[in-house]
Amino acid sequence: MVALVIAALIAVTTVPSYRDHILRSRIPEATSGLLLTGMRLEQFYQDHRSYASGGTTSCGVALPPAGQFTFNCVVPTDGQSFLLSASGRGDGAMANFGYTLDHLGAQRTTALPAGWGDAPANCWVEKRMAGC
């Protein structure tokens, strides 16, 4: 009986920490994907003087493949700015996470799950209750 109580106490304290660790390990997929795509867009801009492809409002570079996050790129008609976003897929554990990067390098957290802190935040929140 004592062993069962001890096992239950250990489970109660370690399972939430393990879950947070798993979530934190998946966030770099979003942040690194945004940074890499932003860098590729800057290189595209140097060659074409626009972030847009061929006079359209679509990004001049390919977006990262969807995994735990789906990526989106918004370029206005003048092609002189961009907003990249990574949103957690609705069918997974990352569903409530959202991050953005713009042409000025501003990093924002647009969505966080309950208990992780307040969004929006003017940084990428990568840890529970971490601030900017």
Side-chain angles (χ1 to χ4, degrees), residues 56-75:
T56 66
T57 59
S58 61
C59 274
V61 300
L63 296 175
Q68 295 292 323
F69 290 86
T70 55
F71 294 88
N72 188 32
C73 179
V74 176
V75 178

Side-chain angles (χ1 to χ4, degrees), residues 5-121:
V5 170
I6 292 172
L9 288 173
I10 290 172
V12 166
T13 59
T14 59
V15 169
S17 295
Y18 178 73
R19 185 179 186 288
D20 280 355
H21 178 73
I22 295 298
L23 293 176
R24 285 195 336 254
S25 73
R26 293 177 178 167
I27 291 173
E29 177 187 334
T31 57
S32 65
L34 292 173
L35 287 172
L36 178 62
T37 306
M39 180 185 68
R40 291 174 55 223
L41 274 167
E42 292 299 338
Q43 291 171 337
F44 185 87
Y45 185 86
Q46 286 185 358
D47 293 338
H48 301 95
R49 294 292 178 225
S50 174
Y51 293 110
S53 175
T56 66
T57 59
S58 61
C59 274
V61 300
L63 296 175
Q68 295 292 323
F69 290 86
T70 55
F71 294 88
N72 188 32
C73 179
V74 176
V75 178
T77 55
D78 66 0
Q80 299 303 301
S81 63
F82 67 82
L83 179 64
L84 294 170
S85 63
S87 301
R89 291 184 49 181
D91 58 350
M94 304 307 289
N96 296 317
F97 288 90
Y99 299 99
T100 63
L101 176 71
D102 68 16
H103 66 288
L104 300 174
Q107 303 170 349
R108 291 183 51 85
T109 300
T110 57
L112 288 171
W116 271 68
D118 297 324

